[in-house]
Amino acid sequence: MVLVFALAAGLCLQMSVLSNQVMGRCEAKDRAVMVAQNTAEVWKLNRGDGQKCAETLGGQWDADVWQIGYDDNWQEIDCSDAEYLVRAVSVVTNDPYLGRADISVETADGDCLFQVSVA
């Protein structure tokens, strides 16, 4: 009987650890969606001017790419040490009056949590 209870306790512990991991990924994805949508709104507000976006949100603007890094608590840090990296890349279009950018939120491992295009 003790063996049965020990096995049941071990399974419950495993399920608890797994549920915490899944919850952490879901929270990161939810936060990534919010950050990407906020970035898209600021990008549209500034009419695709990455320098103004960098002044508004922080981060770095490098000609065609704006990026900002966050730690695991979603506090802004240097991009080289970031757990999450938000990047807006200007996309050249055939229409000179239409600006477009692809905004993505990625983990330090390069996994894309969320991506959205804004025009």
Side-chain angles (χ1 to χ4, degrees):
M1 207 52 156
V2 172
L3 181 61
V4 170
F5 285 119
L7 287 173
L11 288 174
C12 287
L13 184 61
Q14 260 187 337
M15 293 305 292
S16 176
V17 169
L18 181 63
S19 69
N20 283 339
Q21 290 174 348
V22 169
M23 184 180 67
R25 282 193 296 258
C26 289
E27 286 177 0
K29 191 162 194 145
D30 288 345
R31 186 63 184 243
V33 170
M34 280 194 319
V35 168
Q37 288 176 336
N38 186 37
T39 303
E41 292 299 324
V42 171
W43 191 268
K44 287 192 301 187
L45 176 71
N46 291 314
R47 301 187 189 281
D49 186 339
Q51 184 61 41
K52 287 183 181 177
C53 291
E55 291 168 6
T56 304
L57 293 174
Q60 306 165 354
W61 171 247
D62 181 22
D64 293 327
V65 178
W66 171 84
Q67 61 184 2
I68 188 170
Y70 292 100
D71 64 8
D72 55 352
N73 293 321
W74 292 91
Q75 301 298 316
E76 183 180 342
I77 62 171
D78 187 56
C79 292
S80 61
D81 300 326
E83 182 70 26
Y84 303 105
L85 188 64
V86 180
R87 185 176 290 137
V89 179
S90 294
V91 177
V92 177
T93 63
N94 293 335
D95 187 348
Y97 300 106
L98 178 65
R100 195 174 135 227
D102 291 330
I103 299 170
S104 63
V105 182
E106 301 172 354
T107 64
D109 301 333
D111 295 332
C112 184
L113 293 174
F114 188 74
Q115 185 173 4
V116 64
S117 293
V118 62

